[in-house]
Amino acid sequence: NAGVTQTPKFRVLKTGQSMTLLCAQDMNHEYMYWYRQDPGMGLRLIHYSVGEGTTAKGEVPDGYNVSRLKKQNFLLGLESAAPSQTSVYFCASTLGDLVEPQHFGDGTRLSIL
Amino acid sequence: AQRVTQPEKLLSVFKGAPVELKCNYSYSGSPELFWYVQYSRQRLQLLLRHISRESIKGFTADLNKGETSFHLKKPFAQEEDSAMYYCALRVDNAGNMLTFGGGTRLMVKP
């Protein structure tokens, strides 16, 4: 039982390049989330999903897109990377009730040059 | 909109000293507060939540609705407590979303 797995762990991109971050969970969780972590700003929610085939915007969605085609996977896409998107990205998941806490992945460190 | 504030970015104490990590929130409804911790090279993980009213690793936190605070306390800090601590707020919403504070790095010196 790996929990929440994020790939890749590190990536360096050039401005304007695109890429997709993958989050996979094996806990049969309904809800999944993508956050970005920046110094002094904590974690800010980018997008989230409350079930397969559904997605919604979080606090800082601009410049990102997501997809939840399968229940266990939540993809975060950057269509045209910008230096302001240099950050550490965390995925999390939870059952969806109000008791289960969010479980986090190890994070993806992304640098945009 | 809801907001979580952790006024200290860095808190440095000596081993055995008491520690208090401050957390203040603003939300007009019924809040649920959490403390998450991230040890070096480990995942962010739940430390405790106010509805449980439990002590984890010697840490406690009491929700004070009058002062809108949820400070994390431990009477005797240990070196292994050194980590990044995040206070988080869950509001009444269907997405089970959390709003995080900016985090406080706790350093416990020997």
Side-chain angles (χ1 to χ4, degrees), chain A residues 34-112:
Chain A
W34 275 108
Y35 295 90
R36 58 178 290 172
Q37 182 188 43
D38 301 292
M41 304 184 76
L43 280 76
R44 293 180 292 167
L45 184 65
I46 304 171
H47 285 280
Y48 67 100
S49 168
V50 298
E52 181 179 315
T54 72
T55 62
K57 294 180 179 180
E59 180 186 356
V60 289
D62 294 342
Y64 305 95
N65 57 75
V66 288
S67 64
R68 183 99 182 268
L69 298 180
K70 293 183 179 180
K71 184 178 182 178
Q72 63 268 31
N73 296 335
F74 194 29
L75 278 63
L76 178 71
L78 286 73
E79 290 187 349
S80 180
S84 61
Q85 294 177 303
T86 293
S87 187
V88 181
Y89 292 86
F90 286 96
C91 177
S93 71
T94 184
L95 274 173
D97 58 22
L98 296 181
V99 177
E100 179 76 8
Q102 292 187 14
H103 296 260
F104 285 81
D106 288 328
T108 295
R109 187 172 296 276
L110 186 61
S111 294
I112 316 295

Side-chain angles (χ1 to χ4, degrees), chain A residues 25-39:
Chain A
Q25 52 92 7
D26 60 3
M27 297 173 283
N28 202 33
H29 283 172
E30 287 291 336
Y31 292 14
M32 297 186 74
Y33 311 83
W34 275 108
Y35 295 90
R36 58 178 290 172
Q37 182 188 43
D38 301 292

Side-chain angles (χ1 to χ4, degrees), chain B residues 36-47 56-57 59 74 78-86 105-106:
Chain B
Y36 278 81
V37 60
Q38 189 175 27
Y39 300 103
S40 179
R41 303 182 188 281
Q42 293 189 28
R43 302 180 175 194
L44 195 66
Q45 58 188 284
L46 178 68
L47 180 62
I56 304 293
K57 299 184 178 183
F59 284 97
K74 185 170 183 177
Q78 303 299 314
E79 290 182 70
E80 55 266 30
D81 295 329
S82 296
M84 194 74 181
Y85 291 80
Y86 291 98
R105 180 167 298 282
L106 175 65

Side-chain angles (χ1 to χ4, degrees), chain B residues 82-101:
Chain B
S82 296
M84 194 74 181
Y85 291 80
Y86 291 98
C87 182
L89 164 70
R90 182 165 67 192
V91 303
D92 301 324
N93 64 71
N96 197 4
M97 291 178 285
L98 295 175
T99 298
F100 285 85

